[in-house]
Amino acid sequence: MIVFDSENKIFYLSTNNTTYAMAVFGEKLLLHAYWGKRLSHPLSPDWLDTLEFRPLAPLDFGRFSTDMLPQEYSTFGSADLRIAALGAEYGDGSYYTRLEYVGFEIVEGKPALEGLPATYCEEGDKVETLVIHLADSLHGLHVYLSYSVFEELDAIARSAKIVNLGERAEINRAFSATVDFIGCEDRELVHLDGAWVRERSITRRAVVPGIQSIESRNGCSGAVHNPFIALCDKNATENSGNVYGFSLVYSGNFSAGIDLGPFNSARAYIGINPQNFNFVLENGESFQTPEAVLVYSAEGFGGMSRAYHKLYRTRLCRGKFRDIPRYVVLNSWETTYFTFDENTIVDLARDAAKIGVDTMVLDDGWFSTRTTDRAGLGDWWENPDRLPSGLGWLADEVNKLGLRFGLWFEPEMVNPDSELYRKHPEWALRTPGRETTPTRSQVTLDFSRQDVCEYIIDSLSSILDRANIEYVKWDMNRYMSEVGSAALPAERQGEVYHRYILGLYYVLETLTQKYPDVLFESCSSGGGRFDPGMLYYMPQVWTSDNSDAVDRLRIQYGTSMVYPYSSMSAHVSVCPNHTQGRITPFEMRCNVAMPGQLGFELNIGKCSEEELELSKKTIAKYRELEDVFHKGDLYRLVSPFEKDYCALEFVSEDKKRVILCIDSQRGLFNGPDQYIKMEALDPDAQYRCGDKTYFGEYLMNFGVHFCNKREHISEMLIFDKI
Ligand code: DGJ
């Protein structure tokens, strides 16, 4: 619900549990007034007078200074010396932008963001959008701040559109959202960090004076940081305390952080990384920032995550795969790597059929001269030595076994040893006169170019059109460096990183719309590009190349801060694990993979009878429980970052079924008794688990006993409300 108090010029944006407020100050300046628990009454008229007078501050607004006022969208070059939301340089060399309030409009629903992924609403959703118009009258630069209020989902989606009606200007920073917090004392900053095979660990640190920032500069969202931060009370826990989440619907370079000043006021920000970003706007041109999704929770991190899960699962993911059960795949990678032919794949599929796998995915190595990772990327046609009968034949053979057929691509890359590169070296990103550093013997195709995008659309279409391919794994295995585009003039080279992402989104939009029955899975050396932008096109992501059950507990737990388990592809793989050599029980590997999108990545023909039986049972159980894992609410009871075991609770939408997953990373022989307190149950109802029944209040207050007495205990307890 959006209400404008015209007397006091205050906008109130309210969801079921939250309110976000802005005020027009002195008829000119748009201020941030409040964000937190839902308000039922207006702010006190003297809310702003609470700010203390500061000697030496530049007083450009009566007794107030823009440097201390909580601003909604601040500008570089002004008297506000904190980190700015918007920066521009003008033809006369000046770089001071002064935005003043012009007006507003409230529209029903939520307009799409042109060329960019974004949350959306459907008929019947309670969603309204407020668009606030600000302008710099000297330079003719107009800014439209957009706030879509998802009333029932407790989220606000923000973005900014910059329209230049003046002389040529260069935009050198344009965050999607900034929020100024006053009285920002004893807060902490949380973000998700890591590297290849250890993605999205949770980092929590005190907010201290100065700027604390996480960023990506490698052309994609990356494994090192995720485009998400949360600001929280020092004592916030999983189920208590104020938490403010910022998540960016973008897959390229980003920056997010907090700038704490000397008077307990702090500015949180999220958006495109200003480094290597410079966007030229001629008269009449505009720039649309990506969308930032803001979630406030008074119920700690659990409340924040559940809001993100529901929004991203139901109003970011699209297409028929959003709601239907997805596929249980066998992926060939860890079984064959680069050594296989068409018969190997048919044999793998035959074995997979025996345990109930429904989709056979042929990973890397099937095309052109690709027998190692040093050649072939860019040449999207079958390797005639490996697949002499062709992809059509292979897909048919797999189909005859009762399985779907899926295929791996890495469309954004090219090996210098490829026909494509030999023909079009100018199609790779490069800086003139410089060598491009190869990573994994490959360089990046310049997706900022329309011709490159069309070539990739055509290449992939020709494959998807001539074989019955029902699943695509879209991989991307290098960070960008020495970035430049041969197609853009010198003054527009600062646009390449962003134009690359726009090109990528164009290709993904075209292909996913053209092939709505193909399930697309995103991958970037595992979870190197696990972000909301990708989820808009592809509803699931290969969470990590690390499929070890113990490491996956942490990776999936960290990922779940923002992303639902329905978006996490998780496979049962062989032991010793190929990434880090650990041996874990087969049952634990199955149990840890099950809440995600279950799949397998091992040679089923080499499994023992016992493992085959367990695999069959796992798939059957998964099919029975997947709705609870994927559509229910997640309660994180015990963190694997804090204890030697992990406990997760999934509550079905109708609250009748509850699954408790307990997995031990490391055991302690003769260790202490633990009592895991469950959540969100009906205290007065009884729940059946096996042949026992318990009251909800018992499970929540006394708890479920667990003794972490040996390595890798794995329990999955199913409680049904009677
Ligand atoms: C990286 C992916 O994460 C793996 O699963 C696999 O597809 C390889 N690329 C293939 O090159």
Side-chain angles (χ1 to χ4, degrees):
M1 185 171 57
I2 300 173
V3 172
F4 181 55
D5 167 358
S6 53
E7 196 179 323
N8 297 300
K9 297 231 166 10
I10 300 185
F11 298 95
Y12 293 96
L13 284 54
S14 292
T15 67
N16 282 352
N17 297 297
T18 75
T19 295
Y20 185 103
M22 290 165 280
V24 182
F25 177 62
E27 303 285 326
K28 285 181 179 163
L29 204 58
L30 185 66
L31 298 186
H32 177 73
Y34 174 83
W35 186 23
K37 270 191 189 159
R38 185 181 167 117
L39 300 177
S40 324
H41 307 286
L43 290 173
S44 164
D46 68 354
W47 70 274
L48 196 56
D49 298 332
T50 57
L51 287 178
E52 199 62 37
F53 169 75
R54 301 290 166 194
L56 294 184
L59 301 180
D60 46 354
F61 274 89
R63 86 167 185 84
F64 295 108
S65 156
T66 41
D67 197 38
M68 59 190 273
L69 288 168
Q71 297 204 54
E72 192 57 26
Y73 204 67
S74 58
T75 51
F76 188 76
S78 67
D80 179 354
L81 303 177
R82 297 165 288 184
I83 193 164
L86 177 71
E89 195 170 333
Y90 302 96
D92 59 3
S94 69
Y95 49 81
Y96 170 22
T97 304
R98 184 183 175 90
L99 291 179
E100 294 186 351
Y101 174 77
V102 179
F104 74 95
E105 187 192 1
I106 296 172
V107 293
E108 270 301 309
K110 182 174 191 290
L113 294 196
E114 205 186 321
L116 284 167
T119 53
Y120 58 88
C121 62
E122 291 191 341
E123 202 156 331
D125 291 355
K126 283 194 185 166
V127 178
E128 285 179 309
T129 300
L130 167 69
V131 181
I132 300 183
H133 181 190
L134 310 172
D136 180 319
S137 53
L138 179 67
H139 294 296
L141 200 72
H142 294 251
V143 174
Y144 297 87
L145 299 178
S146 181
Y147 300 80
S148 294
V149 181
F150 287 84
E151 196 164 329
E152 282 158 336
L153 294 172
D154 275 325
I156 295 179
R158 280 187 61 177
S159 65
K161 183 172 183 177
I162 299 142
V163 180
N164 185 17
L165 299 181
E167 304 278 293
R168 172 197 177 100
E170 288 179 18
I171 308 300
N172 49 36
R173 59 168 58 236
F175 284 143
S176 300
T178 59
V179 176
D180 281 6
F181 293 86
I182 52 179
C184 189
E185 203 176 0
D186 288 338
R187 296 285 173 90
E188 291 184 337
L189 184 67
V190 170
H191 39 93
L192 306 174
D193 316 293
W196 176 66
V197 301
R198 58 175 176 83
E199 296 90 346
R200 290 171 296 286
S201 291
I202 300 171
T203 300
R204 185 165 174 166
R205 52 172 157 154
V207 172
V208 295
I211 293 176
Q212 289 161 276
S213 190
I214 54 150
E215 302 189 340
S216 101
R217 292 170 228 107
N218 51 40
C220 67
S221 47
V224 178
H225 300 293
N226 196 261
F228 157 80
I229 54 165
L231 185 67
C232 66
D233 292 347
K234 198 174 177 179
N235 56 4
T237 65
E238 266 299 300
N239 45 29
S240 70
N242 295 301
V243 178
Y244 302 85
F246 298 76
S247 162
L248 190 67
V249 188
Y250 192 58
S251 311
N253 292 340
F254 72 90
S255 179
I258 185 107
D259 181 6
L260 177 65
F263 308 118
N264 272 349
S265 58
R267 174 167 296 160
Y269 57 90
I270 192 161
I272 291 179
N273 192 338
Q275 181 169 327
N276 293 326
F277 171 79
N278 200 64
F279 219 91
V280 177
L281 292 186
E282 299 289 355
N283 176 281
E285 288 185 335
S286 62
F287 180 81
Q288 172 65 59
T289 73
E291 174 167 289
V293 177
L294 274 53
V295 166
Y296 163 76
S297 161
E299 292 171 9
F301 292 96
M304 176 199 72
S305 298
R306 285 186 289 280
Y308 277 124
H309 293 174
K310 193 151 189 201
L311 180 72
Y312 285 175
R313 184 171 61 71
T314 64
R315 293 296 181 265
L316 178 67
C317 293
R318 298 175 300 164
K320 79 172 200 188
F321 295 102
R322 185 187 77 177
D323 300 322
I324 63 170
R326 305 209 194 122
Y327 306 155
V328 176
V329 308
L330 173 71
N331 181 293
S332 64
W333 182 241
E334 288 195 21
T335 306
T336 64
Y337 293 104
F338 283 112
T339 312
F340 63 86
D341 63 19
E342 58 191 20
N343 296 321
T344 325
I345 303 305
V346 176
D347 289 345
L348 288 181
R350 190 170 296 114
D351 290 334
K354 291 184 199 151
I355 59 164
V357 159
D358 55 49
T359 306
M360 175 70 225
V361 177
L362 171 53
D363 208 282
D364 198 353
W366 58 268
F367 52 95
S368 167
T369 54
R370 183 82 167 173
T371 51
T372 68
D373 63 10
R374 290 188 291 279
L377 283 175
D379 300 342
W380 297 110
W381 51 83
E382 295 98 320
N383 178 329
D385 299 331
R386 296 186 155 197
L387 307 183
S389 315
L391 276 171
W393 174 86
L394 183 54
D396 289 347
E397 287 305 299
V398 170
N399 290 164
K400 279 186 213 157
L401 294 165
L403 275 74
R404 297 182 194 87
F405 180 65
L407 200 58
W408 179 96
F409 292 92
E410 192 176 355
E412 297 157 73
M413 297 292 153
V414 61
N415 287 115
D417 185 1
S418 67
E419 282 190 27
L420 181 67
Y421 189 84
R422 282 186 279 276
K423 197 166 159 204
H424 283 297
E426 78 286 5
W427 278 12
L429 290 174
R430 67 153 46 89
T431 303
R434 303 272 178 201
E435 287 296 310
T436 304
T437 311
T439 299
R440 212 192 186 208
S441 308
Q442 63 196 53
V443 293
T444 313
L445 280 175
D446 180 358
F447 267 48
S448 75
R449 296 175 67 125
Q450 190 72 26
D451 47 3
V452 171
C453 292
E454 298 304 338
Y455 171 82
I456 290 299
I457 290 169
D458 289 349
S459 305
L460 265 63
S461 298
S462 84
I463 300 275
L464 296 177
D465 286 343
R466 68 192 156 79
N468 188 24
I469 295 161
E470 296 182 71
Y471 164 107
V472 164
K473 179 174 171 188
W474 183 291
D475 204 351
M476 197 283 267
N477 290 305
R478 74 155 287 168
Y479 289 157
M480 297 171 205
S481 61
E482 298 97 6
V483 166
S485 171
L488 286 171
E491 69 273 18
R492 287 196 180 263
Q493 292 298 317
E495 301 175 15
V496 179
Y497 278 107
H498 181 61
R499 286 192 182 277
Y500 176 96
I501 296 296
L502 293 180
L504 172 62
Y505 288 155
Y506 164 71
V507 172
L508 287 171
E509 179 69 16
T510 308
L511 288 171
T512 53
Q513 294 301 323
K514 191 168 168 192
Y515 300 99
D517 295 326
V518 175
L519 171 58
F520 284 79
E521 173 167 310
S522 172
C523 173
S524 176
S525 306
R529 197 166 58 182
F530 202 134
D531 61 60
M534 283 293 127
L535 286 183
Y536 181 72
Y537 303 100
M538 305 186 258
Q540 60 190 62
V541 185
W542 177 227
T543 314
S544 174
D545 274 352
N546 187 345
S547 54
D548 167 65
V550 171
D551 287 351
R552 272 295 182 116
L553 287 175
R554 285 189 297 273
I555 293 168
Q556 293 173 184
Y557 187 101
T559 304
S560 80
M561 288 298 278
V562 188
Y563 308 100
Y565 268 80
S566 59
S567 64
M568 298 181 215
S569 184
H571 295 176
V572 177
S573 62
V574 75
C575 275
N577 181 269
H578 285 194
T579 309
Q580 43 84 301
R582 187 185 276 122
I583 296 175
T584 50
F586 198 81
E587 185 182 17
M588 180 182 187
R589 282 177 265 156
C590 291
N591 283 353
V592 172
M594 225 191 287
Q597 294 291 344
L598 176 71
F600 291 77
E601 191 131 352
L602 43 70
N603 192 337
I604 290 169
K606 290 194 176 157
C607 285
S608 66
E609 278 306 315
E610 200 187 332
E611 288 170 339
L612 289 177
E613 259 325 289
L614 207 46
S615 302
K616 271 191 227 166
K617 282 193 183 141
T618 296
I619 294 176
K621 191 166 169 186
Y622 170 74
R623 285 302 187 205
E624 190 197 331
L625 301 180
E626 65 183 318
D627 259 13
V628 186
F629 290 132
H630 297 163
K631 297 185 177 165
D633 276 333
L634 169 68
Y635 292 83
R636 289 177 295 244
L637 305 183
V638 178
S639 166
F641 292 99
E642 289 163 16
K643 298 253 179 170
D644 281 342
Y645 67 101
C646 172
L648 301 174
E649 178 188 327
F650 296 86
V651 181
S652 68
E653 276 181 304
D654 64 7
K655 307 208 182 306
K656 287 191 176 149
R657 181 163 263 190
V658 182
I659 307 170
L660 179 59
C661 304
I662 310 170
D663 291 280
S664 153
Q665 309 185 72
R666 233 188 341 242
L668 180 65
F669 183 66
N670 207 17
D673 291 306
Q674 318 268 354
Y675 292 88
I676 299 168
K677 314 261 188 305
M678 294 179 70
E679 285 187 46
L681 306 180
D682 177 348
D684 302 319
Q686 297 206 58
Y687 293 82
R688 184 181 298 117
C689 176
D691 55 4
K692 298 195 175 142
T693 54
Y694 307 90
F695 276 104
E697 68 171 10
Y698 172 87
L699 295 170
M700 291 193 289
N701 298 304
F702 189 89
V704 174
H705 176 259
F706 174 62
C707 185
N708 191 16
K709 58 190 172 201
R710 58 184 163 73
E711 307 279 278
H712 314 326
I713 301 172
S714 181
E715 290 178 7
M716 190 177 284
L717 304 174
I718 300 166
F719 296 85
D720 285 308
K721 193 172 174 183
I722 304 172

